Amino acid sequence: MSEVWTDVDAYLASLFPDDAVLLAAVARGRAEGLPDIAVSPMQGRLLSILARSMGARALLEVGTLAGYSAIWLGRALPPDGRMITLEVDAHHAEVARANLDSAGLQNVEVRLGPARDTMRQLVADGAGPFDLIFIDADKVGYPEYLRLSLELTRSGSLIIADNVVRHGGILDADSADASNRAIREFNAMLAAEPRVDATVVQVVGVKGHDGLALAVVR
Ligand code: SAH
Ligand code: DHB
Ligand code: MG
C-alpha cells in the first residue's frame, strides 16, 4: 500500500541536494546488515534544526544504530560542542564510529553499553547538563530513559523521543507488544510530568506512521 504521504515525504526530501556523507552512512549500515530503522531524512533535518535553533552545545543520544541521526545532530554543534551517543550493540557502535569518522565528526563519542547503565554513570559523573537529549533506543526502556534524562538536563533543555505513536499501536491498552505498553507509559509520564512542557507530534512519511515527543524542561 503506497500512502500519499510516503510520496510527499520522498518528494520533499528530493528537493534538497544529495548528501554524499549521509548516503554513504546509510549504505554502510545496510552493507553491514543493520536494520533500516534510522530516522527519515526529513526527521534528521528536524533534529538538526531544533539543535541549532536552541544553540545546543552538549547533546546526548540514546540509540545510535549506524550513526545516521547522530550525524544530523552532530552537524548542528558548534566546533567546541560535544555529543555522546549510547549503543548496546558492539557491531552497531563500530559501524557508527566509522560513519561518524567519515563525516568528520570527531566530537561525537559512541559509548558502548546498555543505555540505562551508561546514563546512570553519566549522572554519577556529573556529565550533564545536556542541552538536548534524543531518545531512540529500545522502547521498553523509554520510561527509565525519561527519568534519567530529567537528571541530565537543565531548565530549557529539550528532550525528544522517536517512535511514540507506533503506527497507532499505542491505542491498545492491552497490547501484547511490550514496546507498545512501554510507550503508552512513556507518553502518560511525559504528559503528567510537572518538570516539562511537552507535546507529541504525529509523523507520517517514508518510515510510515509514527510520532515524535518534544518536551522542554521547565
Ligand atoms: N537513532 C538512530 C536509530 C536507532 S535504532 C538513527 O535514527 O539513526 C535503535 C538502536 O538502539 C539500535 O542500534 C539498538 O541496538 C539500540 N539499543 C537497543 N537497546 C539498547 C539499550 N538498552 N541501550 C542502548 N542502545 C540500545
Ligand atoms: C524500531 C526502532 C526505531 O527506533 C524505529 O525508528 C523504528 C523501528 C524497531 O525497533 O523496530
Ligand atoms: Mg526510532
Side-chain angles (χ1 to χ4, degrees):
M1 182 174 61
S2 176
E3 303 281 0
V4 67
W5 62 65
T6 312
D7 299 337
V8 170
D9 194 33
Y11 160 71
L12 291 172
S14 79
L15 299 176
F16 296 83
D18 280 344
D19 188 315
V21 167
L22 288 165
L23 289 171
V26 171
R28 173 147 33 201
R30 198 168 286 154
E32 292 286 340
L34 274 53
D36 186 23
I37 56 173
V39 297
S40 68
M42 295 301 268
Q43 281 174 269
R45 286 184 178 282
L46 177 61
L47 292 174
S48 201
I49 287 167
L50 290 171
R52 191 161 300 189
S53 65
M54 71 184 299
R57 310 173 70 80
L59 305 180
L60 178 65
E61 176 178 69
V62 185
T64 313
L65 193 65
Y68 181 81
S69 54
I71 292 173
W72 277 111
L73 284 166
R75 283 175 168 178
L77 284 170
D80 61 341
R82 70 192 173 96
M83 172 168 175
I84 302 174
T85 177
L86 313 183
E87 176 55 56
V88 75
D89 183 299
H91 183 227
H92 294 186
E94 182 194 335
V95 173
R97 288 191 185 110
N99 278 334
L100 288 159
D101 196 49
S102 299
L105 291 168
Q106 281 83 11
N107 50 351
V108 181
E109 179 198 345
V110 182
R111 215 170 270 194
L112 183 63
R116 190 173 68 142
D117 296 349
T118 314
M119 290 177 85
R120 285 181 179 167
Q121 192 61 53
L122 290 170
V123 173
D125 293 347
F130 293 91
D131 304 312
L132 186 159
I133 300 182
F134 177 49
I135 300 172
D136 192 21
D138 59 301
K139 308 313 159 194
V140 171
Y142 272 39
E144 182 67 3
Y145 302 150
L146 176 57
R147 279 187 280 271
L148 286 160
S149 291
L150 289 166
E151 297 188 46
L152 288 166
T153 45
R154 47 139 181 110
S155 176
S157 291
L158 201 55
I159 300 170
I160 307 176
D162 193 27
N163 311 118
V164 299
V165 170
R166 300 183 53 80
H167 315 273
I170 55 165
L171 289 177
D172 181 5
D174 304 315
S175 177
D177 181 334
S179 295
N180 284 343
R181 296 198 305 273
I183 295 296
R184 281 176 62 87
E185 185 189 342
F186 172 88
N187 287 333
M189 268 176 71
L190 195 67
E193 173 55 62
R195 286 171 288 180
V196 302
D197 290 308
T199 190
V200 173
V201 181
Q202 293 191 69
V203 176
V204 291
V206 295
K207 301 271 171 165
H209 172 211
D210 218 315
L212 269 186
L214 300 161
V216 64
V217 178
R218 284 191 179 155

